[in-house]
Amino acid sequence: CPAAVYYYPTNDAISAERRVLRGELDVSTDILSNRIAYLQKKAPGYVRVKTWLGVAYASFNSNVPGLNDPRVRRALSMSIDREFITGKLLRGGQLPAYTFTPPGMANYTTVAPPEWSSWSFERRQAEARRLLAEAGYGPGHPLKVEIKLRNSPDPTLFYPAIQADWKSIGVDARLAQVETQVAYADYRSRNYQVADAAWIADYNDPITFLFLMRSDTGAQNYSDY
């Protein structure tokens, strides 16, 4: 009989992981990052880790009042504790992203990260509060945003941390988890305020990331830069 491949979609990465270990599935490509070290000890050879040219990022809908202010977007960005997310939550070898294009790509000289990336987290939080106040937000008038996130393993792990980071600077952020396909359809139609998004390189050149910010890119320029 002809060869066949069967796909079994599941939102539960740990369930899929256990089915592979039991021999019920041959491959699972979606593993919780914080379980990689555990699985490498439990089942040597089961998990293989290689360099991956990708970035996970929060997209701000620039059509939304508040988020159309660059001071607000800067405050939200600088107040995310990337080191905690990559080093304590994910623990899968990810690097904190302070530039949109990953380091090490062909035809690319890594640009300097923003000045505030070298500041202490406390100093970044203080500057974020100042920027929000300058934009008209504070204890009596907090910024309120909805974060739409994909129901894939890692975002559900680290977006509560981002929610907490933003709460510490006075931002009221609500998490709205949806199916990944629904999430990206909403991003393309601008039906979101803050979006949990990610991009994996189609080829080894920085334009595969940078074109997403072009004004003529269309639907995938989620922020409408």
Side-chain angles (χ1 to χ4, degrees), residues 27-49:
V27 175
S28 174
T29 59
D30 216 359
I31 303 170
L32 278 168
S33 291
N34 62 356
R35 289 180 63 81
I36 290 176
Y38 163 77
L39 289 170
Q40 287 175 328
K41 291 179 181 178
K42 179 180 176 64
Y46 171 57
V47 177
R48 296 169 176 82
V49 179

Side-chain angles (χ1 to χ4, degrees), residues 46-62:
Y46 171 57
V47 177
R48 296 169 176 82
V49 179
K50 298 293 182 183
T51 300
W52 190 249
L53 290 175
V55 63
Y57 64 101
S59 174
F60 304 127
N61 188 341
S62 64

